[in-house]
């Protein structure tokens, strides 16, 4: 607020007619803006009501003399400033602005200073404003003073600018530019202030349009103020005043519109008066109307002139501002001007800015451009003015559908749909081909909009004149469906029609949910249709029918497609329920006829059999016994005719859906299922009594077909009452080397038996009532595991894989049942696989998973073999995942996974995610045991490498280089991210590693160093994970093991120890001196003999760790040199030139971290 005393009326104080006055926003008056806002919100209701009452009392007649009213108004301006009224709502704004206008008519200088103060306060400025009168704005001396600079001495920024008739100087602290101003404050306050600020400007122009708007004083001052502040270097001034400027122009557009409407009305009235007869004409009235028209034209011309000044002074300078919020404001308001006042703004001179801003780097600016263009193309009257713009920027609009911001892409697609609907021949066939591909997009909003474009360009067909309404509707539906099927078949972008149906659902649900018409088209013969469907089109239409049924019952949730509402509204749920009941009522009657017609095509039948899975069991039509019986008969005939996996699996799932519940239809479905299974069991029993495997291949194939059907149904249904385990167990070989069933039979038998055991385990709570039953169940489990164990060495790869997966699944399910079982009740007995079986499972994984070229180093096979390679990778991942589940569920010890982690680096791309998940799960179970597993992995690899080099052989399978082992240790170390959480684990790694190196070592002339000393180089990868107190403890533990031996760090043989200790010291100093050194390098130490020893007489300790020796060794090691064939057990890197005394290392660990408790070794 500008105090009245400081903003006194200007008086002429010199011959030039120039006077000055200071307007101060002191820190005490303005205060902390945020603190005052909270107080104002609490008092807003009370203050607002009092102010409104006071205003009404002042505005009513008979309230006193004119001077008294003027005094009351001045007191009101002092009590409630224009900035404060923003917080009171639109109604309070109108009253206060009316008072401000009355004050402006009385004293316009004082009122204008209040308005200037309002805009500066809205910018968040807490500084000082000084106003100086100026009567000649063309004076060169005056213009030279318009500066914006920083005063280094006082630490203040100041801006001096001309807002005629004043020269305003705003001074504020230096750090104001980094503070939050009202427009950018987070939370709802920022959005609320933005709305109220814009409303204030709109109300100001609306209230002034009939009084002071055209006095050539108010607008000149306001435009000068906003233009100068919008060009400021300060972001707060620039942002706030740019918004004020463009909103002022938008409000003036409304004034110009109202003037145009008044002109049209006056012109119509003038024309009416001119058509009257001479006696009825009134020359005085005609003159008055003509004068009014002239006055309105002058006002509109003045308003257009003001708008042009604001456009050039604010928009043209700010539409390319560095701040994206300012650019968004400019683009948004430009679109509004074009739409509301197209006669002045909708031309190529202004449209070019919209086209340029579509290339902006910020998504929000591009989005505002697209939304503005939607408003323009949505008005048919504006389309002729957009022809040149459309031809110039059409390619850009099409490319923006691929925008990285999903919302921009969606809105651009909506714009193109609008253009396609309103403008003919704008989009070419090539454009449509590019845009319609988005119906298969992973973003559902974009796909749905592209589906609208596809449906818009789908021809509906023309009905024949002699056809009735129903036939015409059918013909139009056939034509549209054929067009959609043609698009789907020609696009070849996706093999799942459900994504196409999902994209068309929002705009074409009426077509896709017209199930009576769809089924009638499918049931008609091709010869009876004027435009019949081909077999391929009929198969595609069946897929569309099934996809529409799924969409109507489950909603738009599809795998791989985002942007779907996760929570359905009550209305959406009711729509799903109604659609489900409708399709159940119709398709239950029609589906048997469709199955009968397409029974010869396995793919079509497999698709049709999915429909009953979506039936509504509570629908009254679902109780139709005759319809359900007819459906069961058709399914029976289909299962006798087809044995493909798709038909069998779909039929099993459909029967599972129909058998659920207690309705009459469910009873019929259960009886039909039991009849089918009993028939297959009888056929299999009869065939097993014969020597079918030595007979012809036809009987063997029939047996395989029966087994496939039992396997498919046993996967979904519990067939324990037929005791398939006892029936099929004899088919598994006791000795693989002797004659056994064919691989196809064994493959199906293994799956059936594993399903039998799994069903037995899942029903344990119902079946295990006595100990005898529990023992029998464990015997079945042991029998299956033993027979599966023998099949692991079968000659056929498919049988081996299925046996492994079956055994792993059964053991995992058994472990899960033991964990979730209630101990108070009788449950399954514990079964532990034999050590021989455990070793066989591990050997199988190593033999069948980690084979072939590694995924990191090979480019892969040719394109023709790419699919086969991916399928093989998928099978290997399934085998590894099954084995890892055994470790996670506790069936196997964690140490059994050590062999698996040996291949972590080599097969990281192919199996890295599985091994990482295994490591995380085992750490959740027991992090110490999981750490021992990693240690065992590293130590086994190191031991194998040492034995291989001692034997002198070449490269052997299972032996990795020293570099790869060190890299594996580095990968393991990266998994210990939280040093505090894994503190004990890391300490155990170092303790175990030191013990591994020095255990059972007795120094002698023939063995001066431990055989596993080079393992310390690998162990150094974990040094950086130790906390500072633990480094001291580990070094002490290391000294304890080296104190009994004569250690000379200057010898090559002891360099791994120096390397390990150096890594500990480097880690303690916050340096990673080890990570940049290759592990295949060997130090070159001149003038040193490998067997040289230092005399120990007179020395203080047998360990030669003196500081002098360390310094001398550091100087000698300053120039290392590579060798052509380095020993992998030698020191792999240059140890840092650091004092390597034990005393120094221990004292270094005492710095800081006193609050951390040391771990006892």
């Amino acid at each position: 607020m500008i105090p009245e005393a400081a903003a006194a009326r200007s008086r002429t104080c010199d011959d030039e007619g120039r006077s000055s006055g200071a307007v101060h926003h002191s820190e005490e008056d303005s205060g902390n803006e945020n603190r005052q806002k909270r107080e104002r919100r609490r008092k807003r209701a009370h203050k607002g009501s009092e102010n409104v009452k006071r205003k009404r009392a002042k505005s009513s007649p008979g309230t006193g003399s004119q001077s008294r009213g003027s005094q009351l108004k001045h007191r009101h301006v002092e009590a409630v400033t224009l900035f404060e009224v923003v917080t009171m709502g639109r109604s309070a704004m109108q009253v206060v602005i009316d008072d401000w206008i009355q004050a402006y008519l009385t004293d316009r200088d004082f009122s204008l200073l209040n308005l200037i103060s309002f805009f500066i306060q809205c910018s968040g400025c807490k500084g000082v404003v000084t106003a100086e009168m100026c009567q000649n704005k063309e004076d060169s001396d005056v213009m030279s003073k318009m500066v914006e600079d920083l005063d280094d001495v006082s630490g203040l920024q100041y801006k001096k600018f001309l807002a005629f008739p004043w020269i305003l100087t705003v001074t504020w602290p230096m750090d104001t530019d980094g503070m939050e101003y009202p427009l950018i404050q987070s939370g709802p306050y920022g959005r609320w202030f933005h709305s109220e600020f814009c409303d204030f400007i709109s109300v100001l122009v609306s209230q002034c349009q009939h009084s002071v708007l055209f006095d050539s004083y108010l607008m000149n001052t306001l435009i000068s103020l906003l233009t100068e502040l919008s060009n400021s270097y300060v972001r707060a001034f620039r942002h706030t005043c740019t918004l004020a400027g463009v909103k002022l122009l938008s409000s003036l557009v409304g004034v110009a519109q109202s003037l145009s409407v008044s002109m049209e009305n006056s012109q119509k009235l003038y024309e009416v008066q001119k058509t009257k007869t001479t006696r009825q004409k009134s020359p005085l009235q005609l003159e008055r109307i003509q004068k009014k028209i002239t006055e309105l034209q002058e006002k509109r011309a003045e308003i257009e002139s003001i708008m042009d000044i604001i456009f050039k002074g604010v928009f043209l300078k700010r539409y390319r501002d560095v701040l994206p919020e300012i650019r968004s404001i400019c683009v948004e308001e430009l679109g509004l001007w074009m739409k509301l006042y197209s006669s002045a703004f909708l031309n190529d001179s202004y449209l070019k800015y919209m086209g340029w801003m579509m290339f902006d780097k910020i998504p929000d600016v591009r989005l505002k451009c697209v939304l503005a263009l939607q408003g323009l193309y949505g008005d048919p009257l504006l389309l002729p003015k957009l022809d040149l713009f459309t031809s110039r920027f059409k390619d850009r609009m099409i490319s923006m559908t691929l925008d990285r911001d999903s919302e921009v892409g969606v809105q651009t697609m909506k714009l193109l749909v609008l253009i396609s609907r309103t403008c003919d021949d704008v989009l070419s066939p090539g454009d449509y081909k590019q845009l319609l591909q988005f119906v298969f997009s992973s973003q559902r909003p974009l796909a749905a909009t592209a589906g609208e474009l596809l449906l818009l360009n789908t021809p509906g067909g023309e009905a024949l004149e002699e056809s009735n309404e129903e036939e015409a509707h059918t013909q139009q539906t056939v034509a549209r469906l054929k067009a959609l099927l043609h698009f789907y078949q020609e696009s070849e972008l996706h093999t799942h029609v459900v994504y196409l149906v999902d994209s068309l659902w929002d705009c074409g649900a009426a077509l896709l949910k017209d199930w009576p018409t769809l089924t009638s088209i499918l049931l008609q013969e091709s010869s009876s249709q004027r435009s019949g469907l081909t077999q391929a089109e009929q198969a595609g239409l069946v897929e569309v029918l099934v996809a529409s049924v799924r969409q109507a019952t489950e909603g738009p949730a599809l795998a791989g497609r985002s942007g779907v509402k996760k929570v359905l509204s009550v209305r959406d749920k009711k729509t799903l329920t109604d659609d489900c009941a409708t399709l159940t009522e119709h398709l239950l009657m029609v589906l048997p006829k469709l199955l009968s017609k397409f029974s010869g095509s396995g793919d079509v039948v497999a698709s049709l059999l999915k429909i009953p899975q979506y039936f509504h069991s509570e629908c009254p039509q679902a109780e139709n016994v005759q319809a359900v019986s007819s459906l069961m008969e058709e399914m029976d005939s289909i299962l006798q005719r087809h044995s493909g996996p798709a038909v069998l699996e779909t039929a099993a799932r459909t029967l599972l859906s129909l058998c659920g519940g207690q309705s009459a239809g469910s009873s019929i479905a259960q009886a039909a299922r039991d009849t089918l299974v009993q028939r297959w069991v009888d056929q299999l029993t009869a065939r097993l009594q014969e020597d079918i495997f030595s007979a012809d291949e036809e009987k063997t194939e029939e047996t395989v077909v029966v087994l496939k059907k039992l396997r498919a149904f046993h996967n979904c249904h519990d067939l324990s009452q037929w005791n398939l385990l006892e029936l099929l167990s004899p088919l598994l070989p006791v000795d693989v080397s002797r004659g056994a069933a064919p691989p196809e039979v064994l493959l199906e038998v293994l799956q059936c038996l594993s399903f039998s055991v799994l069903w037995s385990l899942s029903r344990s709570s119902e079946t295990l009532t006595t100990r005898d039953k529990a023992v029998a169940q464990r015997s079945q489990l042991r029998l299956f595991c033993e027979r599966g164990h023998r099949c692991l060495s079968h000659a056929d790869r498919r049988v081996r894989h299925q046996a492994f997966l079956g055994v792993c699944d059964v053991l995992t399910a058994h472990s899960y049942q033991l964990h979730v079982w209630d101990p108070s009740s009788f449950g399954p007995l514990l079964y532990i696989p034999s050590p021989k079986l455990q070793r066989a499972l591990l050997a199988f994984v190593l033999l069948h998973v980690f084979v072939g070229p590694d995924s990191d180093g090979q480019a892969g096979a040719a394109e023709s073999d790419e699919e086969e390679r991916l399928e093989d990778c998928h099978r290997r991942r399934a085998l590894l995942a099954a084995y890892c589940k055994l470790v996670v569920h506790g069936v196997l010890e964690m140490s059994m996974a050590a062999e698996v982690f040996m291949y972590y680096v080599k097969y990281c791309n192919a199996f890295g995610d599985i091994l990482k998940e295994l490591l995380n799960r085992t750490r959740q179970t027991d992090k110490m045991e999981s750490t021992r597993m990693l240690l065992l992995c590293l130590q086994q690899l190191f031991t194998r490498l040492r034995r291989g080099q001692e034997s002198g052989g070449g490269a052997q399978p299972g032996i990795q280089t020293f570099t790869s082992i060190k890299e594996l240790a580095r990968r393991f170390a990266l998994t210990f991210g939280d040093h505090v959480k894994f503190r004990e684990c890391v300490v155990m790694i170092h303790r175990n590693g030191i013990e591994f190196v020095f255990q059972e070592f007795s120094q002698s002339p023939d063995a001066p160093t431990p055989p596993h000393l080079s393992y310390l180089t690998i162990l150094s990868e974990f040094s950086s994970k130790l906390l500072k107190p633990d480094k001291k403890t580990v070094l002490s533990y290391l000294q304890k093991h080296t104190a009994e031996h004569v250690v000379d760090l200057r010898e090559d043989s002891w360099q791994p120890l120096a390397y390990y200790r150096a890594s500990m010291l480097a880690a303690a100093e916050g340096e990673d001196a080890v990570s940049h050194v290759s592990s295949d390098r060997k130090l070159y130490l001149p003038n040193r003999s490998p067997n040289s020893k230092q005399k120990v007489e007179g020395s203080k300790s047998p360990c030669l760790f003196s500081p002098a020796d360390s310094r001398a060794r550091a100087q000698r090691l300053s120039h290392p040199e590579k060798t052509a064939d380095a020993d992998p057990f030698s020191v792999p890197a240059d140890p840092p030139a650091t004092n390597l005394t034990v005393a120094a290392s221990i004292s270094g660990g005492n710095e800081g971290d006193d609050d951390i408790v040391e771990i006892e070794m």
Side-chain angles (χ1 to χ4, degrees), residues 679-962:
R679 183 196 308 160
W680 297 333
V681 171
D682 294 341
Q683 293 176 2
L684 184 61
T685 304
R687 296 182 185 280
L688 291 180
Q689 292 176 357
E690 306 174 2
D691 190 9
I692 58 172
F693 303 127
S694 60
D696 55 1
E697 296 181 358
E698 184 178 354
K699 292 185 178 181
T700 303
E701 183 64 27
E702 293 176 356
T703 305
V704 171
V705 170
V706 175
L707 286 173
K708 285 182 177 179
K709 295 178 180 179
L710 287 173
R711 183 257 304 162
F713 272 68
H714 208 354
N715 187 21
C716 301
H717 303 266
D718 183 12
L719 308 182
S720 301
Q721 56 179 322
W722 286 276
N723 200 5
L724 294 180
L725 187 64
E726 182 178 352
L727 177 64
L728 299 177
S729 293
L731 293 178
L732 292 180
V734 179
D735 188 358
V736 182
S737 61
R738 299 182 180 180
E744 295 79 6
V745 175
L746 289 179
L747 190 63
E748 303 298 332
V749 168
L750 283 170
Q751 295 186 61
C752 287
L753 293 181
S754 64
F755 292 151
S756 297
V757 177
L758 291 174
W759 276 110
S760 176
L761 291 172
S762 64
R763 297 294 178 87
S764 297
S765 58
E766 303 173 4
T767 59
L768 297 185
T769 56
T770 62
R771 179 174 178 81
D772 294 339
K773 293 183 179 181
V775 172
Q777 184 190 75
R778 185 171 64 177
S779 300
Q780 293 176 354
L781 180 61
R782 181 184 293 110
L783 175 63
F784 176 77
C785 290
E786 290 176 355
R787 297 294 177 88
H789 182 194
R790 295 188 183 96
C791 290
L792 292 178
S793 57
H794 196 274
D796 190 88
R797 178 180 58 83
R798 297 174 299 167
V799 175
R800 296 196 302 268
H801 285 190
Q802 184 56 47
F804 178 83
L805 293 175
V807 172
C808 290
D809 291 342
V810 166
L811 292 176
T812 302
H814 175 67
S815 175
Y816 176 77
Q817 289 294 331
L818 292 176
H819 282 87
V820 302
W821 194 260
D822 186 5
S824 61
S825 61
F826 197 81
L829 298 179
L830 176 64
Y831 170 71
I832 301 176
S834 63
K836 185 176 180 182
L837 176 59
Q838 297 183 25
R839 292 193 298 270
L841 294 175
L842 176 59
F844 185 89
V845 170
L846 299 179
L847 183 62
H848 291 81
V849 176
F850 302 105
V851 292
D854 59 276
S855 302
D856 297 338
Q858 300 294 331
E863 294 183 1
S864 58
D865 299 335
E866 182 68 17
E867 184 176 355
E868 182 180 354
R869 185 184 67 84
L870 293 176
E871 186 65 26
D872 178 67
C873 180
H874 176 70
R875 286 194 296 265
R876 293 159 64 190
R877 286 174 60 86
L879 296 176
L880 179 60
Y883 183 81
C884 292
K885 284 190 287 187
L886 295 179
V887 178
V888 171
H889 288 276
V891 179
L892 301 178
E893 297 291 338
M894 289 188 188
S895 58
M896 297 291 291
E899 291 275 353
V900 172
F901 277 100
M902 294 180 182
Y903 301 92
Y904 177 70
V905 175
K906 185 177 181 182
Y907 294 92
C908 185
N909 286 352
F911 313 120
D913 55 338
I914 300 177
L915 296 179
K916 287 179 182 177
E917 185 64 21
L918 172 62
L919 183 58
N920 293 333
R921 293 292 186 90
T922 53
R923 281 180 176 172
Q924 294 174 8
T925 304
D926 188 346
K927 61 181 180 181
M928 298 298 290
E929 189 64 27
S930 176
T931 306
R932 293 189 184 94
M933 172 187 66
L934 301 181
L935 283 174
L936 180 61
C937 172
L938 293 174
Q939 292 174 5
Q940 286 182 352
L941 284 174
F942 182 82
T943 304
R944 291 178 186 178
L945 176 61
R946 180 171 178 79
R947 290 176 180 174
Q949 292 197 344
E950 288 178 351
S951 62
Q956 301 179 12
I959 298 180
Q960 300 185 20
T961 63
F962 190 85

Side-chain angles (χ1 to χ4, degrees), residues 69 179 241 257 371 401 412 414 503 585 590 596 847 888 905 915 938 1072 1080 1120:
M179 297 172 60
C241 293
Q257 280 185 305
L371 294 177
T401 55
T412 305
K414 290 182 179 180
S503 301
E585 181 179 357
V590 179
S596 176
L847 183 62
V888 171
V905 175
L915 296 179
L938 293 174
D1072 191 6
D1080 289 332

Side-chain angles (χ1 to χ4, degrees), residues 555-596:
L558 285 175
R561 178 161 279 185
S562 59
V564 184
K565 291 190 298 184
K566 296 183 180 180
V567 180
L568 297 178
S569 63
V570 177
R571 181 179 179 181
D572 293 338
K573 292 180 180 179
K574 186 178 183 303
T575 302
L576 291 179
T577 304
D578 295 343
D579 291 343
C580 188
T582 302
L583 68 90
T584 302
E585 181 179 357
H586 174 72
L587 292 176
L588 185 59
M589 303 297 297
V590 179
L591 186 58
K593 301 177 183 179
L594 293 173
L595 290 174
S596 176

Side-chain angles (χ1 to χ4, degrees), residues 1 170 279 431 586 632 700 855 862 906 998 1015 1018 1135:
M1 173 180 171
V170 184
R279 181 175 298 178
D431 298 333
H586 174 72
M632 292 297 102
T700 303
S855 302
K906 185 177 181 182
F998 293 98
Y1015 182 77
I1018 299 174

